[in-house]
Amino acid sequence: MVTIKYNQPLTSYNTFRMDVIASSFCTVRTLDEVQELIVSDKLAGKQLLILGGGSNLLFCKDFDGMVIHVQNSGIRVLREDEDEVFVRVAAGENWHEFVLWCLEKGYGGIENLSLIPGTVGSSPIQNIGAYGVEVKDVFDSAELIDLKSAILYPIDREACRFGYRDSIFKQELKGKVMVWSVTFKLLKNPLIQLEYGAIREELNRMGRLNPGIKDVSDAVCNIRRSKLPDPNETGNAGSFFKNPTISAERSLLLKTAFPGLVSYQLPDGNVKLAAGWLIEQCRWKGIRRGDAGVHPKQALCIVNYGNATGSEILELAEDIQQSVLEQFDVLLDMEVNVI
Ligand code: FAD
Ligand code: EPU
């Protein structure tokens, strides 16, 4: 039986620390609870928000609807052979705790995704990525709950249509399903991924010359701690914008006009630009407007120094977007879900 709370403050449920209220709020831990909730009249006519760790959300106002906080737990090995292991993880498990569990078992594949806040259930929503790895690289399948019929059904990797910070969950299935578990395919003889230059440099600095997955994880954690704001100290939701993709022709023109442009060649011929560089060139890095600001070490992170409202954060983001558009003719897409 799910307990519904009314007028629930959400400050401790979002890493931007927005002081907003949900008109209805509940926590679900078992499949029965979710299914019972869906078929009851408690959700009738209500806007729904499925909540994990709240680390990719910006609340601009109180939420008039039902927040469903997913808190199921459990990690289970489904099958394994000498090389691979398939692990099913409940959506409510903490992502970094799961990474640590894999390191302990010696299962490779997600060490480059260390220290990303949030839950396992959210990891496929925007196909979390960092340091050359994305969740799609280890994703096997997921169990979804249809939010209308309450039916539990599987989805495979191909059907998820993963892209850069994108998946079917942000498109056709947006607002229609709850991710209930994710099954990952991990390696028992891990191939470590060091092509992101900064990892190799950090491993050398640490004196780890023959690195394994724990070393890679330690290096990633060090790099992240050195430049990303810690949500326990300063409200933020990681990168506020995605890195934009443009055609090779446009990138050549931009490179001629701005020789310092930071860009990466993509396999499809297009080019990805470092949004942090674009924002820094527009002189936003480190600025502060009231309690809203741009992180001094990473211009892609917009931060809440204390009592900024969601609207103040959003206004700053829109001003940044506008100036990058004016200076570079590049539109930055928001990565954060604005509610
Ligand atoms: P929430 O913020 O709770 O939700 C995000 C979205 O997913 C919402 O639309 C929500 O409705 C939906 N959702 C959540 N759970 C479910 C579910 N079970 N079923 C269906 N929908 C659901 N992201 C990266 O990709 N790479 C990074 O390197 C990275 N670094 C970060 C660093 C910091 C300091 C912070 C604060 C954020 C960072 N992020 C990064 C963003 C964030 O951590 C990820 O997007 C993460 O997956 C969000 O998880 P969450 O549980 O907090 O999701
Ligand atoms: N840069 C600047 N100024 C800045 C920030 C970055 O010039 O203030 C330039 C630098 O040249 C730097 C390059 O941009 O070398 C790339 O910066 P960084 O390695 O910090 O990565 P990012 O592209 O800014 C992306 C992800 C992060 C992920 C890191 C590491 C996006 C939107 N962001 O950031 O993910 O952790 O790479 O792989 O793709 C997130 O999604 O929330 C997130 C934090």
Side-chain angles (χ1 to χ4, degrees):
M1 176 76 172
V2 178
T3 308
I4 314 276
K5 295 183 188 166
Y6 298 96
N7 298 322
Q8 168 71 41
L10 295 179
T11 324
S12 59
Y13 292 96
N14 74 96
T15 60
F16 251 125
R17 304 270 167 234
M18 288 302 143
D19 191 10
V20 293
I21 285 173
S23 58
S24 310
F25 181 99
C26 65
T27 297
V28 291
R29 294 192 174 82
T30 68
L31 183 58
D32 281 353
E33 280 178 343
V34 184
Q35 292 181 322
E36 199 181 290
L37 181 71
I38 294 172
V39 300
S40 73
D41 58 1
K42 290 178 184 140
L43 302 184
K46 282 200 166 83
Q47 203 191 335
L48 301 184
L49 175 68
I50 312 295
L51 179 70
S55 64
N56 205 21
L57 297 173
L58 175 66
F59 287 103
C60 289
K61 52 181 184 310
D62 290 343
F63 184 74
D64 184 16
M66 174 74 82
V67 170
I68 307 178
H69 189 211
V70 181
Q71 286 276 272
N72 59 332
S73 60
I75 302 181
R76 190 153 68 93
V77 172
L78 295 185
R79 59 184 192 278
E80 60 188 306
D81 61 24
E82 290 174 2
D83 303 317
E84 292 173 349
V85 54
F86 288 77
V87 185
R88 177 178 289 166
V89 189
E93 290 284 348
N94 174 273
W95 174 263
H96 184 65
E97 296 289 320
F98 172 54
V99 174
L100 296 179
W101 183 90
C102 291
L103 295 178
E104 214 40 56
K105 300 274 177 197
Y107 301 157
I110 57 173
E111 54 282 357
N112 295 47
L113 303 179
S114 295
L115 220 57
I116 297 182
T119 62
V120 166
S122 317
S123 65
I125 306 292
Q126 70 156 10
N127 179 26
I128 57 168
Y131 302 100
V133 173
E134 290 181 323
V135 97
K136 74 167 169 47
D137 303 329
V138 290
F139 181 98
D140 172 69
S141 58
E143 289 180 305
L144 310 180
I145 303 173
D146 184 282
L147 291 173
K148 275 221 158 78
S149 66
I151 290 171
L152 180 78
Y153 69 99
I155 185 166
D156 66 19
R157 182 177 182 274
E158 211 189 341
C160 290
R161 297 214 297 278
F162 288 119
Y164 164 63
R165 298 294 190 273
D166 197 21
S167 74
I168 194 167
F169 307 110
K170 292 187 77 176
Q171 307 294 337
E172 290 94 310
L173 290 184
K174 191 175 165 72
K176 295 188 175 146
V177 295
M178 176 188 289
V179 175
W180 188 243
S181 75
V182 182
T183 298
F184 299 94
K185 182 172 128 181
L186 301 164
L187 295 177
K188 287 187 174 174
N189 303 300
L191 289 169
I192 55 172
Q193 313 244 16
L194 303 179
E195 72 259 38
Y196 232 82
I199 300 187
R200 223 183 275 275
E201 266 168 46
E202 179 60 19
L203 285 166
N204 288 339
R205 196 197 61 77
M206 292 158 69
R208 314 264 179 104
L209 303 179
N210 189 14
I213 54 175
K214 278 192 181 164
D215 302 304
V216 172
S217 171
D218 289 345
V220 166
C221 290
N222 286 350
I223 298 168
R224 294 181 67 96
R225 288 194 179 104
S226 73
K227 60 175 162 188
L228 288 170
D230 177 351
N232 292 319
E233 289 163 12
T234 313
N236 78 95
S239 300
F240 201 93
F241 302 100
K242 296 184 201 173
N243 286 324
T245 299
I246 60 170
S247 68
E249 295 78 45
R250 281 206 61 213
S251 99
L252 269 179
L253 289 174
L254 271 180
K255 195 101 190 166
T256 311
F258 304 99
L261 186 79
V262 179
S263 60
Y264 315 93
Q265 186 64 52
L266 296 175
D268 65 4
N270 287 325
V271 173
K272 197 188 263 189
L273 304 179
W277 186 86
L278 300 173
I279 296 169
E280 188 172 345
Q281 297 310 301
C282 295
R283 304 189 186 283
W284 287 103
K285 193 169 182 172
I287 69 102
R288 184 167 172 167
R289 202 193 259 176
D291 270 355
V294 177
H295 191 57
K297 293 185 188 156
Q298 174 39 288
L300 253 191
C301 294
I302 299 187
V303 293
N304 173 13
Y305 284 110
N307 295 311
T309 62
S311 303
E312 286 164 349
I313 298 279
L314 188 60
E315 203 175 295
L316 176 58
E318 286 169 350
D319 288 349
I320 292 171
Q321 231 175 4
Q322 186 59 33
S323 60
V324 169
L325 187 63
E326 280 165 15
Q327 184 158 344
F328 298 101
D329 195 23
V330 171
L331 180 64
L332 296 181
D333 257 357
M334 292 184 193
E335 177 188 303
V336 171
N337 300 279
V338 177
I339 310 281

